[in-house]
């Protein structure tokens, strides 16, 4: 399929913030170690480019499965991030998603463009690529606001 436009268009990606919990443990976040540039070897949120034939929801599910081996989770759309220079490759707009899962029922398996996938305590998150720190902060704020409706049963850390 060939497209020709009179003006440039941004690329579209998805990014997934997956929080994990286990009884009597602190909340953790899933990060993948990038196999490809930019930010090769650094940690980031799982995510990637949306294919022409898929919805953004389907892209988020696919990327999470491909990069971390996680499937069968409810991903809620969080926010759209569109700062002009958020990606050094080109103009990219990202639709972010977040989820809260039980660590014991979702083992990790890094694949495709992720060389590793690990859980990090929120107090031990390394420097992460792109604008993923801002995405993580936004997701954590959303999760905290949802907790106002009732207890979940794990320790979120000192910021709660």
């Amino acid at each position: 399929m060939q497209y020709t436009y009179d003006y440039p268009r941004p690329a579209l990606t998805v990014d997934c913030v997956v929080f994990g919990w286990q009884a009597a443990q602190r909340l953790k976040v899933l990060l993948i170690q990038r196999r490809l540039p930019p930010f090769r070897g650094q940690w980031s949120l799982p995510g990637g480019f949306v294919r022409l034939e898929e919805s953004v929801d389907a892209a988020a599910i696919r990327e999470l499965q491909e990069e971390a081996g996680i499937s069968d989770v409810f991903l809620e759309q969080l926010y759209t991030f569109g700062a002009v220079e958020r990606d050094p490759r080109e103009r990219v707009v990202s639709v972010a998603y977040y989820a809260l899962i039980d660590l014991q029922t979702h083992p990790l398996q890094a694949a495709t463009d992720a060389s590793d996938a690990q859980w990090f305590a929120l107090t031990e998150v390394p420097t992460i690529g792109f604008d993923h720190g801002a995405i993580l902060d936004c997701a954590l704020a959303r999760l905290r606001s949802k907790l106002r409706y009732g207890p979940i049963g794990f320790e979120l850390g000192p910021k709660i």
Side-chain angles (χ1 to χ4, degrees), residues 26 51 64 114:
R26 289 191 168 281
R51 295 176 181 162
L64 192 54

Side-chain angles (χ1 to χ4, degrees), residues 68-71 101-110 117 119:
I70 292 180
S71 59
I101 65 174
D102 183 343
L103 291 172
Q104 291 181 313
T105 60
H106 293 88
L108 301 179
Q109 176 67 43
W119 293 105

Side-chain angles (χ1 to χ4, degrees), residues 2 18 31 54 89 98 107-108 148:
Q2 181 91 15
V18 180
L31 298 178
E54 70 185 346
R89 293 170 289 194
Y98 78 112
L108 301 179
R148 291 182 194 152

Side-chain angles (χ1 to χ4, degrees), residues 35-108:
R35 187 185 308 263
L36 303 172
F39 305 106
R40 177 186 291 171
Q42 291 185 3
W43 295 96
S44 71
L45 298 171
F49 289 94
V50 177
R51 295 176 181 162
L52 289 177
E53 71 279 357
E54 70 185 346
S55 68
V56 290
D57 292 349
I61 292 166
R62 175 183 53 78
E63 286 290 343
L64 192 54
Q65 169 63 42
E66 286 179 359
E67 293 185 343
I70 292 180
S71 59
D72 298 322
V73 300
F74 173 74
L75 289 169
E76 183 174 331
Q77 199 170 107
L78 173 66
Y79 191 79
T80 301
F81 292 83
V84 174
E85 296 182 10
R86 63 173 303 277
D87 189 315
R89 293 170 289 194
E90 62 182 311
R91 177 70 168 102
V92 176
V93 173
S94 187
V95 178
Y97 290 79
Y98 78 112
L100 176 63
I101 65 174
D102 183 343
L103 291 172
Q104 291 181 313
T105 60
H106 293 88
L108 301 179

